[in-house]
Amino acid sequence: MSYDPYSSYPYRPPDPSPSPAYDAYTYETYPWAPQEATEPAERRPQRHAALGQHSDLRVLRSAYRWQRRVATLTALGYFVLFLILSAFAPSFMTSTVTDGLPLGLLLALIQVPVTWLAIALYEQTARRRVDPIADRIRKHAELDAKREGTR
């Protein structure tokens, strides 16, 4: 008895034109899956990390996220506290601090300095955490642009 290699496959695909990246007997299980990227032939290797993949961008995003959280929680946190006290502690809010000045009005007037405090915290964290990182990324981008300009 002889072995017939085509008996298990009733249909054999036609032989395509010869191509180094295509094998007629290899079937893609998931044709929508990303294909392996091939490197361009004449691309020079970079001596430094590309700016878009630099870890400083991740650090900048986290510093900016911290900056937004500090400022937002300062301003909105106080305002939400004021609203909760107004809704659930009306006797506390109507108690008087001095003659004719209820505590609720005093807490409402304090909202303006708290907003100024949030702005000051936003500027301080920008100067201390965000701006130095952004300046460093800007300098790297300028150096990259000069390097690309000389090539």
Short mmCIF file of all heavy atoms in Angstrom, two decimals, residues 66-104:
data_model
loop_
_atom_site.label_atom_id
_atom_site.label_comp_id
_atom_site.label_asym_id
_atom_site.label_seq_id
_atom_site.Cartn_x
_atom_site.Cartn_y
_atom_site.Cartn_z
N TRP A 66 -0.91 64.67 38.65
CA TRP A 66 -0.82 65.03 40.07
C TRP A 66 -1.21 66.49 40.27
O TRP A 66 -1.93 66.83 41.21
CB TRP A 66 0.60 64.77 40.55
CG TRP A 66 0.85 65.27 41.94
CD1 TRP A 66 1.53 66.40 42.29
CD2 TRP A 66 0.41 64.69 43.16
NE1 TRP A 66 1.55 66.55 43.65
CE2 TRP A 66 0.86 65.51 44.21
CE3 TRP A 66 -0.32 63.56 43.48
CZ2 TRP A 66 0.60 65.23 45.54
CZ3 TRP A 66 -0.58 63.28 44.80
CH2 TRP A 66 -0.13 64.11 45.81
N GLN A 67 -0.75 67.34 39.38
CA GLN A 67 -1.05 68.77 39.47
C GLN A 67 -2.56 69.01 39.37
O GLN A 67 -3.12 69.78 40.15
CB GLN A 67 -0.32 69.51 38.36
CG GLN A 67 -0.57 70.98 38.32
CD GLN A 67 -0.02 71.62 37.07
OE1 GLN A 67 0.19 70.95 36.07
NE2 GLN A 67 0.22 72.90 37.13
N ARG A 68 -3.20 68.38 38.43
CA ARG A 68 -4.66 68.56 38.28
C ARG A 68 -5.40 68.03 39.49
O ARG A 68 -6.37 68.64 39.94
CB ARG A 68 -5.14 67.82 37.03
CG ARG A 68 -4.74 68.47 35.75
CD ARG A 68 -5.37 67.76 34.60
NE ARG A 68 -5.24 66.31 34.76
CZ ARG A 68 -4.95 65.47 33.78
NH1 ARG A 68 -4.75 65.92 32.58
NH2 ARG A 68 -4.85 64.19 34.00
N ARG A 69 -4.96 66.89 40.02
CA ARG A 69 -5.66 66.33 41.18
C ARG A 69 -5.55 67.23 42.39
O ARG A 69 -6.54 67.42 43.12
CB ARG A 69 -5.08 64.95 41.51
CG ARG A 69 -5.52 63.89 40.56
CD ARG A 69 -4.93 62.57 40.94
NE ARG A 69 -5.25 61.58 39.91
CZ ARG A 69 -4.56 60.51 39.69
NH1 ARG A 69 -3.50 60.23 40.42
NH2 ARG A 69 -4.92 59.66 38.75
N VAL A 70 -4.39 67.78 42.64
CA VAL A 70 -4.21 68.65 43.81
C VAL A 70 -5.12 69.87 43.71
O VAL A 70 -5.84 70.22 44.65
CB VAL A 70 -2.73 69.07 43.95
CG1 VAL A 70 -2.57 70.21 44.93
CG2 VAL A 70 -1.90 67.89 44.38
N ALA A 71 -5.11 70.52 42.56
CA ALA A 71 -5.91 71.73 42.40
C ALA A 71 -7.40 71.42 42.43
O ALA A 71 -8.19 72.13 43.07
CB ALA A 71 -5.54 72.43 41.11
N THR A 72 -7.80 70.35 41.75
CA THR A 72 -9.23 70.00 41.70
C THR A 72 -9.74 69.58 43.06
O THR A 72 -10.83 70.01 43.48
CB THR A 72 -9.46 68.88 40.67
OG1 THR A 72 -8.97 69.32 39.41
CG2 THR A 72 -10.92 68.53 40.56
N LEU A 73 -8.98 68.74 43.76
CA LEU A 73 -9.45 68.29 45.08
C LEU A 73 -9.46 69.43 46.09
O LEU A 73 -10.28 69.43 47.01
CB LEU A 73 -8.59 67.14 45.57
CG LEU A 73 -8.80 65.83 44.82
CD1 LEU A 73 -7.85 64.77 45.35
CD2 LEU A 73 -10.24 65.36 44.91
N THR A 74 -8.59 70.39 45.93
CA THR A 74 -8.61 71.54 46.85
C THR A 74 -9.88 72.37 46.66
O THR A 74 -10.60 72.64 47.62
CB THR A 74 -7.38 72.42 46.63
OG1 THR A 74 -6.21 71.61 46.81
CG2 THR A 74 -7.35 73.57 47.59
N ALA A 75 -10.16 72.76 45.43
CA ALA A 75 -11.31 73.64 45.18
C ALA A 75 -12.63 72.89 45.30
O ALA A 75 -13.54 73.31 46.03
CB ALA A 75 -11.19 74.28 43.80
N LEU A 76 -12.75 71.77 44.59
CA LEU A 76 -14.02 71.04 44.60
C LEU A 76 -14.27 70.33 45.92
O LEU A 76 -15.41 70.17 46.33
CB LEU A 76 -14.06 70.04 43.46
CG LEU A 76 -14.19 70.64 42.06
CD1 LEU A 76 -14.23 69.55 41.02
CD2 LEU A 76 -15.42 71.51 41.97
N GLY A 77 -13.19 69.90 46.57
CA GLY A 77 -13.35 69.23 47.87
C GLY A 77 -13.99 70.15 48.90
O GLY A 77 -14.91 69.76 49.63
N TYR A 78 -13.53 71.39 48.96
CA TYR A 78 -14.12 72.33 49.90
C TYR A 78 -15.56 72.66 49.52
O TYR A 78 -16.44 72.74 50.39
CB TYR A 78 -13.29 73.62 49.97
CG TYR A 78 -13.85 74.59 50.98
CD1 TYR A 78 -13.58 74.43 52.32
CD2 TYR A 78 -14.70 75.62 50.58
CE1 TYR A 78 -14.11 75.30 53.25
CE2 TYR A 78 -15.23 76.50 51.51
CZ TYR A 78 -14.94 76.32 52.84
OH TYR A 78 -15.48 77.18 53.76
N PHE A 79 -15.81 72.82 48.22
CA PHE A 79 -17.17 73.15 47.78
C PHE A 79 -18.13 71.99 48.08
O PHE A 79 -19.27 72.23 48.53
CB PHE A 79 -17.17 73.49 46.30
CG PHE A 79 -18.51 73.94 45.80
CD1 PHE A 79 -19.05 75.15 46.21
CD2 PHE A 79 -19.24 73.15 44.92
CE1 PHE A 79 -20.29 75.57 45.76
CE2 PHE A 79 -20.47 73.56 44.47
CZ PHE A 79 -21.01 74.76 44.89
N VAL A 80 -17.71 70.77 47.85
CA VAL A 80 -18.57 69.62 48.14
C VAL A 80 -18.80 69.51 49.65
O VAL A 80 -19.92 69.20 50.09
CB VAL A 80 -17.95 68.32 47.56
CG1 VAL A 80 -18.63 67.08 48.10
CG2 VAL A 80 -18.01 68.35 46.04
N LEU A 81 -17.78 69.78 50.44
CA LEU A 81 -17.96 69.78 51.89
C LEU A 81 -19.00 70.83 52.31
O LEU A 81 -19.87 70.56 53.15
CB LEU A 81 -16.63 70.06 52.58
CG LEU A 81 -16.67 70.19 54.10
CD1 LEU A 81 -16.97 68.83 54.73
CD2 LEU A 81 -15.37 70.76 54.61
N PHE A 82 -18.93 72.00 51.69
CA PHE A 82 -19.91 73.06 51.98
C PHE A 82 -21.32 72.62 51.59
O PHE A 82 -22.28 72.84 52.34
CB PHE A 82 -19.51 74.34 51.23
CG PHE A 82 -20.49 75.45 51.38
CD1 PHE A 82 -20.59 76.16 52.56
CD2 PHE A 82 -21.33 75.78 50.34
CE1 PHE A 82 -21.50 77.19 52.70
CE2 PHE A 82 -22.26 76.80 50.47
CZ PHE A 82 -22.34 77.52 51.66
N LEU A 83 -21.47 71.98 50.44
CA LEU A 83 -22.79 71.51 50.02
C LEU A 83 -23.34 70.41 50.92
O LEU A 83 -24.53 70.41 51.26
CB LEU A 83 -22.73 71.00 48.57
CG LEU A 83 -22.55 72.04 47.48
CD1 LEU A 83 -22.45 71.36 46.13
CD2 LEU A 83 -23.69 73.04 47.51
N ILE A 84 -22.49 69.51 51.34
CA ILE A 84 -22.94 68.43 52.24
C ILE A 84 -23.36 69.01 53.58
O ILE A 84 -24.40 68.61 54.14
CB ILE A 84 -21.83 67.38 52.39
CG1 ILE A 84 -21.68 66.60 51.09
CG2 ILE A 84 -22.11 66.42 53.53
CD1 ILE A 84 -20.50 65.66 51.06
N LEU A 85 -22.59 69.94 54.10
CA LEU A 85 -22.98 70.57 55.36
C LEU A 85 -24.29 71.34 55.21
O LEU A 85 -25.13 71.35 56.12
CB LEU A 85 -21.87 71.51 55.86
CG LEU A 85 -20.64 70.85 56.44
CD1 LEU A 85 -19.57 71.90 56.76
CD2 LEU A 85 -21.00 70.06 57.69
N SER A 86 -24.48 72.00 54.08
CA SER A 86 -25.73 72.75 53.86
C SER A 86 -26.92 71.81 53.79
O SER A 86 -28.01 72.15 54.28
CB SER A 86 -25.65 73.54 52.56
OG SER A 86 -24.63 74.51 52.64
N ALA A 87 -26.74 70.64 53.19
CA ALA A 87 -27.87 69.72 53.01
C ALA A 87 -28.15 68.91 54.27
O ALA A 87 -29.32 68.69 54.60
CB ALA A 87 -27.58 68.79 51.84
N PHE A 88 -27.12 68.44 54.96
CA PHE A 88 -27.34 67.49 56.05
C PHE A 88 -27.11 68.05 57.44
O PHE A 88 -27.37 67.36 58.42
CB PHE A 88 -26.43 66.26 55.85
CG PHE A 88 -26.76 65.50 54.60
CD1 PHE A 88 -25.89 65.50 53.52
CD2 PHE A 88 -27.95 64.79 54.49
CE1 PHE A 88 -26.19 64.80 52.37
CE2 PHE A 88 -28.25 64.11 53.34
CZ PHE A 88 -27.38 64.10 52.28
N ALA A 89 -26.61 69.27 57.54
CA ALA A 89 -26.41 69.87 58.86
C ALA A 89 -26.92 71.31 58.87
O ALA A 89 -26.15 72.26 59.07
CB ALA A 89 -24.93 69.80 59.24
N PRO A 90 -28.22 71.51 58.64
CA PRO A 90 -28.72 72.89 58.58
C PRO A 90 -28.60 73.63 59.92
O PRO A 90 -28.37 74.84 59.94
CB PRO A 90 -30.16 72.74 58.14
CG PRO A 90 -30.53 71.34 58.44
CD PRO A 90 -29.27 70.54 58.39
N SER A 91 -28.73 72.91 61.04
CA SER A 91 -28.60 73.60 62.33
C SER A 91 -27.16 74.08 62.54
O SER A 91 -26.94 75.13 63.14
CB SER A 91 -29.04 72.68 63.46
OG SER A 91 -28.21 71.54 63.49
N PHE A 92 -26.20 73.31 62.07
CA PHE A 92 -24.80 73.72 62.17
C PHE A 92 -24.53 74.94 61.29
O PHE A 92 -23.82 75.87 61.69
CB PHE A 92 -23.89 72.55 61.76
CG PHE A 92 -22.43 72.88 61.75
CD1 PHE A 92 -21.72 73.05 62.94
CD2 PHE A 92 -21.74 73.03 60.56
CE1 PHE A 92 -20.38 73.35 62.93
CE2 PHE A 92 -20.40 73.34 60.54
CZ PHE A 92 -19.71 73.50 61.73
N MET A 93 -25.12 74.96 60.10
CA MET A 93 -24.87 76.06 59.17
C MET A 93 -25.59 77.34 59.59
O MET A 93 -25.16 78.44 59.24
CB MET A 93 -25.31 75.67 57.75
CG MET A 93 -24.49 74.53 57.17
SD MET A 93 -22.78 74.93 56.93
CE MET A 93 -22.85 75.73 55.36
N THR A 94 -26.69 77.23 60.35
CA THR A 94 -27.41 78.43 60.77
C THR A 94 -26.94 78.96 62.12
O THR A 94 -27.39 80.02 62.55
CB THR A 94 -28.92 78.14 60.85
OG1 THR A 94 -29.14 77.04 61.72
CG2 THR A 94 -29.48 77.87 59.47
N SER A 95 -26.03 78.22 62.76
CA SER A 95 -25.50 78.73 64.03
C SER A 95 -24.68 79.99 63.76
O SER A 95 -24.05 80.13 62.71
CB SER A 95 -24.65 77.66 64.73
OG SER A 95 -23.54 77.35 63.94
N THR A 96 -24.69 80.91 64.71
CA THR A 96 -24.03 82.20 64.49
C THR A 96 -22.62 82.18 65.04
O THR A 96 -22.34 81.60 66.09
CB THR A 96 -24.82 83.33 65.15
OG1 THR A 96 -24.95 83.05 66.53
CG2 THR A 96 -26.17 83.50 64.50
N VAL A 97 -21.73 82.82 64.31
CA VAL A 97 -20.34 82.95 64.74
C VAL A 97 -20.20 84.22 65.57
O VAL A 97 -19.65 84.21 66.66
CB VAL A 97 -19.40 83.00 63.51
CG1 VAL A 97 -17.95 83.20 63.93
CG2 VAL A 97 -19.54 81.75 62.68
N THR A 98 -20.68 85.31 65.02
CA THR A 98 -20.72 86.59 65.75
C THR A 98 -22.14 87.13 65.60
O THR A 98 -23.00 86.48 65.02
CB THR A 98 -19.71 87.60 65.16
OG1 THR A 98 -20.04 87.85 63.81
CG2 THR A 98 -18.29 87.10 65.28
N ASP A 99 -22.37 88.31 66.07
CA ASP A 99 -23.71 88.90 65.97
C ASP A 99 -24.12 89.07 64.51
O ASP A 99 -23.53 89.85 63.77
CB ASP A 99 -23.70 90.29 66.65
CG ASP A 99 -24.60 90.32 67.86
OD1 ASP A 99 -25.25 89.31 68.12
OD2 ASP A 99 -24.62 91.38 68.51
N GLY A 100 -25.11 88.30 64.07
CA GLY A 100 -25.68 88.43 62.74
C GLY A 100 -24.92 87.72 61.63
O GLY A 100 -25.29 87.84 60.46
N LEU A 101 -23.84 86.99 61.91
CA LEU A 101 -23.08 86.29 60.87
C LEU A 101 -23.22 84.79 61.06
O LEU A 101 -22.58 84.21 61.95
CB LEU A 101 -21.60 86.70 60.92
CG LEU A 101 -20.70 86.08 59.87
CD1 LEU A 101 -21.11 86.53 58.46
CD2 LEU A 101 -19.26 86.41 60.13
N PRO A 102 -24.06 84.15 60.26
CA PRO A 102 -24.19 82.70 60.40
C PRO A 102 -22.96 81.98 59.86
O PRO A 102 -22.24 82.48 58.99
CB PRO A 102 -25.44 82.37 59.58
CG PRO A 102 -25.63 83.50 58.67
CD PRO A 102 -24.99 84.69 59.29
N LEU A 103 -22.73 80.79 60.38
CA LEU A 103 -21.57 79.99 59.98
C LEU A 103 -21.64 79.61 58.50
O LEU A 103 -20.60 79.58 57.82
CB LEU A 103 -21.48 78.73 60.85
CG LEU A 103 -20.27 77.84 60.62
CD1 LEU A 103 -18.99 78.60 60.93
CD2 LEU A 103 -20.37 76.59 61.45
N GLY A 104 -22.82 79.36 57.97
CA GLY A 104 -22.97 79.02 56.55
C GLY A 104 -22.49 80.14 55.64
O GLY A 104 -21.83 79.89 54.63
#
